[in-house]
Amino acid sequence: MASERQYREQIVRYGRMLHERGLVAATDGNLSVRLDKNRILATPTCMSKGGMRASDMVIVDMEGRLLAGRRRVSSEIAMHLLIYRLRPDVNGIVHAHPPTATGFAAAGVALNQPLVCEVVIGLGSIPLAKYGTPGTPELTDALAPLVPQYDAILMSNHGVVAYGSDLSQAYMKMETVEHFAKIALVTHQLGNQQPLGAAELEKLVVVREKYLGGLQPASSAPLPDPASANGNHRKKAAPESAPLAEGLPRRRVSS
């Protein structure tokens, strides 16, 4: 297990990578790591993610109260705390505004079409949460129904949040979301999306289970009707009580 110092350095490193790759601008975005069951290490508010130092981080409790650090806590810390509460398997979170994926979120289009096999294996699906004002309960209320089943979520008119077993996994999922968004955009521009069909998805569910090594079981969610995959690809933000991101495998929630 890494030390607190190492976690601070990881946040600095991945924050710089987010900035250098154009996944955030100005003081956008935030990152965090779970130190233990009661403490979260996070980026502070109003700082460029490309210019942070290890000493700039703050430590908060599970209620978002500042425990250590000389800077102010981000107003979006509640989003991180929600994910940590709902997903005991998550130890790292990245929130960013990758331009192409955020464009999909602003257009009200989920990234839930099975267009690229690697994305189906690695993430399953990337749903769209309804809009919620950042830093308010509206945002956490919009995310809560989606967090248990997905590892990356588009937030309407806002950005993307991705999370994983550690900060490295969370960052790579963020990169995957933006990379897939660019591919999906090209298929929209060409006007000829060719989603994978049910038979291909069934095979990928098996491949995904082997790829993940049993650490994250493949979902038992129903596979799509290939005919419906070729219909209208525009998806509204998922309502809180409706089936989510139809058409792709989701992660199975462990009991």
Side-chain angles (χ1 to χ4, degrees):
M1 184 175 178
S3 67
E4 182 185 315
R5 177 68 187 184
Q6 288 172 318
Y7 284 134
R8 288 174 179 268
E9 292 172 348
Q10 285 178 18
I11 292 178
V12 169
R13 181 169 67 254
Y14 287 112
R16 186 178 298 119
M17 290 169 67
L18 286 173
H19 190 264
E20 290 174 348
R21 287 158 175 74
L23 302 178
V24 292
T27 62
D28 294 350
N30 31 76
L31 305 87
S32 70
V33 170
R34 192 199 303 263
L35 293 177
D36 54 46
K37 66 179 182 179
N38 297 314
R39 298 184 304 145
I40 305 300
L41 180 69
T43 52
T45 191
C46 297
M47 279 204 76
S48 168
K49 303 308 167 292
M52 299 184 299
R53 297 174 297 177
S55 60
D56 291 321
M57 306 310 151
V58 296
I59 297 177
V60 301
D61 65 15
M62 292 304 291
E63 301 301 320
R65 292 182 292 250
L66 181 66
L67 298 177
R70 56 189 176 85
R71 295 187 176 272
R72 291 187 295 125
V73 178
S74 169
S75 63
E76 293 190 309
I77 194 65
M79 172 175 63
H80 293 248
L81 298 177
L82 170 78
I83 295 169
Y84 288 125
R85 282 195 294 266
L86 294 179
R87 292 286 298 273
D89 60 308
V90 165
N91 294 300
I93 299 173
V94 173
H95 164 51
H97 301 163
T100 311
T102 301
F104 273 82
V109 181
L111 290 169
N112 61 359
Q113 291 298 314
L115 298 173
V116 180
C117 56
E118 288 82 2
V119 176
V120 175
I121 292 170
L123 281 175
S125 179
I126 307 158
L128 175 67
K130 68 180 183 179
Y131 178 74
T133 304
T136 74
E138 291 177 3
L139 181 59
T140 51
D141 289 347
L143 291 173
L146 301 171
V147 169
Q149 299 183 83
Y150 300 96
D151 291 343
I153 302 171
L154 300 185
M155 296 179 283
S156 293
N157 306 95
H158 187 174
V160 181
V161 63
Y163 35 96
S165 58
D166 56 30
L167 195 60
S168 173
Q169 290 294 318
Y171 173 81
M172 287 191 288
K173 288 173 184 178
M174 181 64 70
E175 277 201 349
T176 296
V177 171
E178 177 65 359
H179 187 65
F180 178 47
K182 291 177 180 178
I183 294 170
L185 179 59
V186 172
T187 68
H188 279 284
Q189 291 170 331
L190 294 173
N192 189 31
Q193 285 192 331
Q194 296 291 320
L196 297 167
E200 289 81 8
L201 287 174
E202 286 177 352
K203 294 175 185 177
L204 286 178
V205 168
V206 176
V207 172
R208 179 179 179 177
E209 193 167 29
K210 291 179 180 178
Y211 170 75
L212 294 172
L215 297 177
Q216 182 178 315
S219 172
S220 59
L223 294 172
D225 177 355
S228 67
N230 292 309
N232 184 0
H233 303 310
R234 183 177 177 83
K235 298 291 184 183
K236 295 181 180 179
E240 295 185 8
S241 59
L244 307 173
E246 55 189 306
L248 287 180
R250 300 175 289 180
R251 72 180 300 279
R252 180 185 298 145
V253 182
S254 301
S255 57

